[in-house]
Every structure is written in structure tokens, then in C-alpha cells.
Amino acid sequence: MTTALRGFKLEMEDASTIVDVYSNLAAHTAVSSEELAIAMSKTASSMESVGSTFQETSAMIGTMVAVTRESSTNIGTALKSIASRYGEMKKDMSSAVDA
């Protein structure tokens, strides 16, 4: 929970939202709250830096873990790499366009 709070620059009063999102995903997908938390610890700040919300990132993690059954560590690392590449692409595109 601390990783999500810090990574997405959320306030302490948002802690119940984090628990609700994790619980909802765990109830509707084949992923546990622990798996969500582990993957989130790897990718939270990277995903926030490219504009993804906590809820969007959680949904991506939940779907990726449920579909692939890869470890949550691998999913978190993969999502971090995707965010990094997207961020680089976003920077390159803005420098390629004339004002």
C-alpha cells in the first residue's frame, strides 16, 4: 500500500481506495492482493510518470497476471519497461514537432 501511495502521489485518506481496488481485482480475476502489491512495487512510479492512474495500472497488472500467470515480479518489471519506453517515445515525439 505504501508503494502505491508514494508512487502515485496519493494521500493517506486514499488508502481505503487502494484496499478496495486490490480486493475488487482479487475477487474478479485470478490474482491475489499480494501479487498486485508486489507488481505495483516494481512499477508504480514509472506508470505514474507516463500519466497512468493507480486504478488503470492495477487493472493492467491484474489482467496481465491473470492471463499469463507469470510471477508478479516479472509483470511489474515488464510494465516498468513498457512505461520507460513509452516515456522515451513521448519525449522523442515532442522534440520532433516544431512549435
Side-chain angles (χ1 to χ4, degrees):
M1 185 179 333
T2 303
T3 303
L5 286 170
R6 290 184 180 166
F8 287 96
K9 300 178 180 128
L10 301 172
E11 299 298 324
M12 198 56 177
E13 58 262 9
D14 296 319
S16 63
T17 301
I18 293 169
V19 172
D20 291 343
V21 169
Y22 283 0
S23 297
N24 191 19
L25 282 169
H28 291 94
T29 63
V31 63
S32 71
S33 296
E34 182 181 5
E35 290 174 310
L36 290 165
I38 290 168
M40 189 65 74
S41 72
K42 302 288 183 195
T43 194
S45 60
S46 297
M47 292 300 288
E48 192 276 334
S49 71
V50 297
S52 183
T53 65
F54 166 73
Q55 289 86 348
E56 292 167 340
T57 302
S58 296
M60 287 182 225
I61 291 169
T63 301
M64 292 169 78
V65 170
V67 170
T68 66
R69 292 313 307 159
E70 280 287 326
S71 74
S72 53
T73 302
N74 289 349
I75 296 296
T77 302
L79 209 46
K80 180 179 176 180
S81 296
I82 291 167
S84 174
R85 290 182 182 138
Y86 177 73
E88 289 173 17
M89 185 176 73
K90 199 171 165 183
K91 284 185 222 170
D92 289 344
M93 295 301 272
S94 63
S95 65
V97 178
D98 290 357

